[in-house]
Amino acid sequence: MMIDATFWVMVSFFVFIGLLIYFKIPQKIKSALNGNIGSIKNQIDEANKLKEDAKNILTEHEKKISNSKAEVKQMMNEASEEAEKNVILTNQNFHKLMDARKKNAEERIKQLRNQALKDIKNASVKIAIESVEKLIKNSLDKSKLDKIYSSSIEETKLALKKKSS
């Protein structure tokens, strides 16, 4: 029999395999791999739980966002309606105020006009009385009467001009 290098390689291979079996290396490798597989499965399960939790949280937040958007839209509509009501109310109040001021101004103008007419009448009566007194005091001749009449008219005109200014 020839013992060559291939024989020794075969012998050392079987010895190596025998030592591996003797020290239970395949079982240790198998248990280490099973431990790693179990750890990976646990991590995957935990990741799936976290994923489901994240989906639930995302769904809750999306609901909150949609509810918030609806509330904001409702608040905007209410604010818009309130602003329109305030504008209408302010406009109505402004018109009422302007109408009241207009009426007051018209009343004031009417009062001033009436007062001016009274003043003119009083001045006219006063001038007429003074003219009559002058006529009575002075002689009643024609030339003097004409002069007094002309001067009374001029005085009346001046008095009216003064009152109207």
Side-chain angles (χ1 to χ4, degrees):
M1 203 172 67
M2 263 181 96
I3 300 178
D4 62 356
T6 56
F7 174 74
W8 288 111
V9 169
M10 182 181 73
V11 169
S12 46
F13 178 73
F14 285 122
V15 169
F16 178 71
I17 297 289
L19 286 173
L20 288 176
I21 293 173
Y22 178 75
F23 289 112
K24 300 181 182 180
I25 299 296
Q27 292 169 352
K28 289 181 182 178
I29 291 174
K30 183 179 178 182
S31 66
L33 289 175
N34 285 338
N36 286 342
I37 289 171
S39 172
I40 291 171
K41 282 183 181 180
N42 289 339
Q43 289 176 356
I44 289 173
D45 291 340
E46 189 174 329
N48 285 336
K49 286 180 185 177
L50 290 174
K51 182 179 174 183
E52 288 299 317
D53 289 343
K55 282 183 181 179
N56 291 338
I57 291 172
L58 178 65
T59 304
E60 288 176 17
H61 285 294
E62 285 176 347
K63 285 179 184 177
K64 286 180 182 179
I65 288 172
S66 66
N67 290 341
S68 296
K69 285 181 181 178
E71 287 179 20
V72 166
K73 188 175 183 180
Q74 182 182 0
M75 291 171 70
M76 292 290 288
N77 290 338
E78 289 174 0
S80 176
E81 289 173 5
E82 188 69 26
E84 287 177 15
K85 287 178 184 177
N86 285 340
V87 166
I88 289 171
L89 182 63
T90 302
N91 195 11
Q92 289 173 347
N93 289 341
F94 176 74
H95 285 294
K96 287 178 184 176
L97 178 66
M98 288 299 112
D99 288 341
R101 285 186 181 177
K102 182 180 175 184
K103 286 179 182 177
N104 287 340
E106 288 172 351
E107 286 294 320
R108 182 75 176 136
I109 289 169
K110 190 185 253 184
Q111 288 174 355
L112 290 174
R113 182 175 175 260
N114 290 338
Q115 185 63 38
L117 289 174
K118 284 180 184 178
D119 290 345
I120 290 171
K121 285 179 183 178
N122 291 338
S124 298
V125 167
K126 186 177 179 182
I127 291 170
I129 291 172
E130 288 174 1
S131 298
V132 169
E133 286 177 357
K134 282 182 185 179
L135 281 174
I136 293 173
K137 285 181 184 177
N138 295 333
S139 67
L140 291 176
D141 71 2
K142 178 85 171 153
S143 64
K144 285 183 180 180
L145 190 57
D146 287 336
K147 285 181 184 179
I148 292 171
Y149 178 73
S150 298
S151 67
S152 294
I153 289 176
E154 292 299 320
E155 287 177 16
T156 304
K157 287 181 181 177
L158 288 175
L160 289 176
K161 284 182 181 177
K162 287 181 184 177
K163 293 291 182 172
S164 65
S165 320

